Amino acid sequence: MTERMKAVPTMRIENGRVRATEWAFAPGAETGWHRHGHDYVVVPLTDGDLLIEHPGGTTTTAHLTQGIPYANIIGVEHNVVNAGSEHLSFLEIEITS
């Protein structure tokens, strides 16, 4: 299996109540496996398609539309991959308190 490039996180806000991280993905780049420690909202900065890898080997796809947010809850575990041929980015906003 070929190792994927890593998505690049840039911390935009971290103030004790909220943490906002901008994630930038080259085509095929991944976040790496992680478990969310907080509820969070994702705001796509570009359109694109994500491959979501779940524990146990299942996958789903998610289409992102620029500016249309979605939310998820604490405990989600996954690896997120840019499934498209173009650069993709989103802002992940975690509610830390």
Side-chain angles (χ1 to χ4, degrees), residues 4 9 13 25 27 31 34 38 48 53 55 65-67 73 82 87 95-96:
R4 296 176 178 133
I13 298 171
F25 295 77
T31 57
H34 61 282
H38 306 282
E53 298 177 333
T65 300
Q66 182 180 6
I73 60 171
N82 178 356
H87 174 85
I95 312 304
T96 58

Side-chain angles (χ1 to χ4, degrees), residues 9-15 18-22 91-92 94:
T10 302
M11 188 64 60
R12 298 296 184 194
I13 298 171
E14 187 166 20
N15 66 15
V18 172
R19 181 172 41 230
T21 306
E22 182 177 336
L91 188 63
E92 177 185 80
E94 297 173 280

Side-chain angles (χ1 to χ4, degrees), residues 6 17-18 30 45 55 61 65 69 71-72 80 92 94:
K6 297 299 180 192
R17 293 186 55 202
V18 172
E30 67 179 357
L45 302 174
T61 56
T65 300
N72 223 324
V80 178
E92 177 185 80
E94 297 173 280

Side-chain angles (χ1 to χ4, degrees), residues 30-94:
E30 67 179 357
T31 57
W33 282 94
H34 61 282
R35 180 184 304 265
H36 286 268
H38 306 282
D39 292 346
Y40 64 98
V41 173
V42 170
V43 181
L45 302 174
T46 62
D47 292 347
D49 292 312
L50 296 177
L51 172 69
I52 313 296
E53 298 177 333
H54 305 281
T58 62
T59 62
T60 55
T61 56
H63 179 72
L64 300 184
T65 300
Q66 182 180 6
I68 305 299
Y70 68 88
N72 223 324
I73 60 171
I74 188 172
V76 171
E77 183 177 1
H78 56 203
N79 182 32
V80 178
V81 182
N82 178 356
S85 60
E86 301 292 326
H87 174 85
L88 181 146
S89 62
F90 59 74
L91 188 63
E92 177 185 80
I93 304 164
E94 297 173 280

